[in-house]
Amino acid sequence: MPLLVMKFGGTSVADLARIRNAAEKVKREVARGYDVIVIVSAMSGKTNELVGWVESTSPLYDAREYDAVVSSGENVTAGLMALTLQEMDIPARSWQGWQVPIQTTSAHAAARFVDIPRSNIDAKFAEGFKVAVVAGFQGVSPEGRITTLGRGGSDTTAVAFAAAFAAERCDIYTDVDGVYTTDPRISPKARKLDRIAFEEMLELASLGAKVLQTRSVELAMRYKVRLRVLSSFEDTDENSGTLVCDEDEIMESKVVSGVAYSRDEAKMTLLRVEDRPGIAAAIFGPLADAGVNVDMIVQNISETDAPGDKNAYTDMTFSCPTNQVARAKKAIEDARDAGKFIYADLVTDTDVAKVSVVGIGMRSHAGVAARMFSALAAENVNIKVIATSEIKISVLIDRKYMELAVQALHDTFELEKA
Ligand code: ASP
Ligand code: MG
């Protein structure tokens, strides 16, 4: 039997009527001859509520109990989905993570898959069951405790099952009808993409496009799982939504495929640090140890005190999420107090945003950066930091210009045109 994985996000299973609507979609695929593995999220808002309960009960909670509580939302929707399917005369049953068993590491709240053995679910399909409904976001550790995969983790569960069961496709049903060239709330000209390459989706996901958990795209790319993002609130067929796939499956691609943004960025600069071997390691080691997610890094060329002077100084700038600024500041000040390095001042700017253009076409086209920078210049947007990779260019700018910059870049690269 050909097999499909269908994943329904929180808004798609938010109440009983929506679960029924999702079950209708499953029924249609069963009628087409598929065995289906359904992965469900918790009802929308549920996981947040559960996290809140844990934090109110125990601010410095035991992560194992956190996982025991926050994983429960998916147990409810998995059971309800199985019941709904049974009411439609479709042989189905639910599976919690430990029953499969979905084996993960013991990194609670951020667990990674170790193995998903097929035998239990395959045996049920062999008995005549048509649908296995699996609770997303959860697994079981080697110690036998319930784990969760990190917020948004059901996407990753879906892709992991698609890989483990060699599914024909992994359909991610959500509240938007696909992946867009940029956020339609920011640029009304945003266009839905029919296809996007894994690499591009990975950049867009990690740059702040919130449709898919980044980890799920990494996994899909590694195991070449064809991933489709589509709406559970529309009538859909096999051409709906956006297919995330290998770049070989994309006929012609534009130089730039999308514009991403991230609002919650902060820029920190150490003024006049010594310029000597080991200084970057001395600064970024403690930041890493403190769990700060440093993104862009810029080191100025050295400023020498006097001609012939061996004492050289430089400025070191980096960006990190706004909510990690306090932690970053403490890590740097502690390292300075411990004598690891000295600097004249530490300047923090929390009013910045990151805007990026992404596209696999950049590999073979020159001049993308120049076009990007002139578009920003034409709008009088000052660039504070620049970073590039093979398929992406990111700039840090004042947050108040973020919308303007996204719109200008969308226009410049003519992303509204197919
Ligand atoms: N329910 C979990 C969350 O809200 C996992 C998921 O929906 O993907 O993060
Ligand atoms: Mg999600």
Side-chain angles (χ1 to χ4, degrees):
M1 279 288 182
L3 185 135
L4 275 188
V5 170
M6 301 172 75
K7 183 257 173 179
F8 293 96
T11 50
S12 306
V13 293
D15 55 36
L16 300 186
R18 288 193 180 172
I19 291 177
R20 214 155 31 238
N21 169 68
E24 292 287 354
K25 293 197 178 284
V26 177
K27 184 180 175 181
R28 208 164 315 148
E29 300 298 355
V30 171
R32 284 187 182 135
Y34 286 106
D35 281 347
V36 181
I37 296 179
V38 174
I39 309 292
V40 286
S41 288
M43 291 180 180
S44 57
K46 193 64 195 175
T47 309
N48 286 341
E49 182 183 46
L50 295 168
V51 170
W53 288 349
V54 169
E55 288 173 345
S56 304
T57 306
S58 172
L60 297 174
Y61 52 76
D62 173 346
R64 292 163 298 194
E65 301 306 342
Y66 168 97
D67 277 351
V69 175
V70 305
S71 63
S72 66
E74 275 74 7
N75 297 343
V76 174
T77 46
L80 290 172
M81 176 63 82
L83 287 171
T84 308
L85 290 164
Q86 288 172 4
E87 288 295 322
M88 296 173 165
D89 293 324
I90 298 168
R93 69 154 276 189
S94 69
W95 301 81
Q96 295 184 8
W98 64 272
Q99 295 172 308
V100 173
I102 301 172
Q103 295 164 10
T104 72
T105 60
S106 30
H108 284 276
R112 299 257 171 153
F113 292 111
V114 174
D115 192 21
I116 301 180
R118 293 178 49 154
S119 50
N120 286 339
I121 287 180
D122 275 344
K124 286 291 166 193
F125 281 136
E127 273 176 37
F129 278 77
K130 300 307 293 175
V131 183
V133 185
V134 179
F137 180 51
Q138 54 173 265
V140 61
S141 72
E143 294 77 28
R145 301 298 302 260
I146 305 299
T147 54
T148 64
L149 306 171
R151 299 306 304 271
S154 298
D155 294 335
T156 305
T157 305
V159 173
F161 270 79
F165 286 81
E168 199 172 290
R169 215 176 50 239
C170 180
D171 287 346
I172 307 275
Y173 285 88
T174 177
D175 50 4
V176 293
D177 62 354
V179 179
Y180 278 71
T181 49
T182 195
D183 187 339
R185 286 168 303 186
I186 292 192
S187 174
K189 293 185 196 161
R191 177 175 55 85
K192 183 173 79 67
L193 293 159
D194 290 332
R195 292 184 175 212
I196 186 166
F198 289 128
E199 268 115 325
E200 293 172 324
M201 191 63 232
L202 195 56
E203 292 286 4
L204 292 175
S206 57
L207 290 172
K210 297 205 173 60
V211 247
L212 290 170
Q213 197 198 34
T214 307
R215 177 99 188 96
S216 72
V217 186
E218 276 169 17
L219 218 58
M221 183 157 104
R222 170 130 51 98
Y223 294 102
K224 299 229 187 283
V225 172
R226 298 167 87 238
L227 201 61
R228 198 161 64 125
V229 177
L230 70 174
S231 165
S232 63
F233 303 118
E234 287 173 12
D235 269 337
T236 44
D237 60 30
E238 54 282 353
N239 297 316
S240 304
T242 301
L243 185 70
V244 188
C245 58
D246 200 85
E247 60 184 88
D248 297 345
E249 285 194 65
I250 299 176
M251 286 306 160
E252 46 100 34
S253 78
K254 309 185 73 162
V255 183
V256 168
S257 302
V259 181
Y261 66 88
S262 155
R263 215 182 284 273
D264 298 312
E265 300 284 326
K267 175 166 83 72
M268 302 184 81
T269 303
L270 285 93
L271 293 172
R272 277 178 71 83
V273 285
E274 316 124 272
D275 189 11
R276 56 166 168 82
I279 194 71
I283 294 170
F284 292 102
L287 286 169
D289 293 342
V292 176
N293 293 318
V294 172
D295 179 25
M296 303 158 119
I297 299 175
V298 179
Q299 183 187 323
N300 270 4
I301 56 162
S302 200
E303 145 217 342
T304 335
D305 253 350
D309 193 340
K310 286 278 185 294
N311 291 322
Y313 294 92
T314 184
D315 299 337
M316 189 79 85
T317 298
F318 63 91
S319 69
C320 70
T322 321
N323 62 7
Q324 294 183 353
V325 164
R327 210 189 303 175
K329 200 154 177 267
K330 182 167 188 313
I332 288 172
E333 286 169 357
D334 286 352
R336 176 201 56 195
D337 295 347
K340 299 241 173 73
F341 50 81
I342 53 164
Y343 55 86
D345 202 1
L346 176 59
V347 186
T348 304
D349 181 355
T350 49
D351 281 325
V352 290
K354 182 170 63 173
V355 175
S356 313
V357 297
V358 173
I360 45 175
M362 268 183 224
R363 286 200 201 112
S364 48
H365 284 82
V368 180
R371 272 170 81 187
M372 178 180 191
F373 301 155
S374 6
L376 296 172
E379 300 292 343
N380 249 316
V381 175
N382 189 36
I383 300 170
K384 302 186 161 201
V385 180
I386 301 168
T388 66
S389 80
E390 210 187 9
I391 65 160
K392 149 192 102 173
I393 305 169
S394 301
V395 294
L396 221 50
I397 59 174
D398 276 332
R399 188 171 306 138
K400 63 175 182 248
Y401 296 127
M402 192 191 80
E403 276 88 357
L404 180 68
V406 169
Q407 288 157 4
L409 294 172
H410 200 274
D411 287 347
T412 293
F413 292 102
E414 303 186 318
L415 299 187
E416 72 281 3
K417 291 189 196 146

